[in-house]
Amino acid sequence: MGWRAPLAAIVLLGTVAGCGPIPVQQAERNCMQDARPATGPRGEIAMGVGTDGHHVRPVTRVELSISSDYVMGRDPADVFNRCVMRQSGEMPTRPLYDQPGWRK
């Protein structure tokens, strides 16, 4: 019975530690994905044919996503900065538009 309390404390501390800040470089990589939808609507169209074994039929799919950041007119760089600050507790090391791999 005496070993359960320390074990529970270790598990609780490990869980809380997992919620702490992450390195700023990792936050920058994560937050580029948050900033991208703020640049505008994204869509995808797929077309093809399918068969049920007896008939060949056309198949289509249309997807459209619009982020609330875009609707509210938020600057993607501001979305990025706020995300990095929230995740790491630090400002980004360089602006969004200078991040490797960023493209609108």
Side-chain angles (χ1 to χ4, degrees):
M1 186 83 99
W3 60 271
R4 289 185 183 163
L7 180 60
I10 291 170
V11 170
L12 179 62
L13 286 174
T15 302
V16 171
C19 297
I22 62 173
V24 69
Q25 291 82 7
Q26 183 179 347
E28 289 172 341
R29 286 189 300 274
N30 295 347
C31 293
M32 282 199 334
Q33 298 309 312
D34 281 9
R36 198 168 310 283
T39 63
R42 300 279 182 221
E44 183 177 314
I45 298 174
M47 298 187 321
V49 292
T51 180
D52 62 5
H54 301 290
H55 301 92
V56 175
R57 296 190 172 111
V59 178
T60 59
R61 185 184 77 214
V62 177
E63 292 181 20
L64 179 65
S65 64
I66 302 173
S67 79
S68 60
D69 290 323
Y70 175 74
V71 171
M72 298 297 289
R74 293 187 180 115
D75 179 7
D78 185 47
V79 172
F80 174 75
N81 290 344
R82 285 185 289 123
C83 177
V84 171
M85 185 62 131
R86 185 176 59 250
Q87 288 190 15
S88 71
E90 300 177 42
M91 287 300 290
T93 59
R94 56 184 144 187
L96 171 64
Y97 303 113
D98 293 340
Q99 290 290 326
W102 174 259
R103 58 182 170 73
K104 203 169 181 183

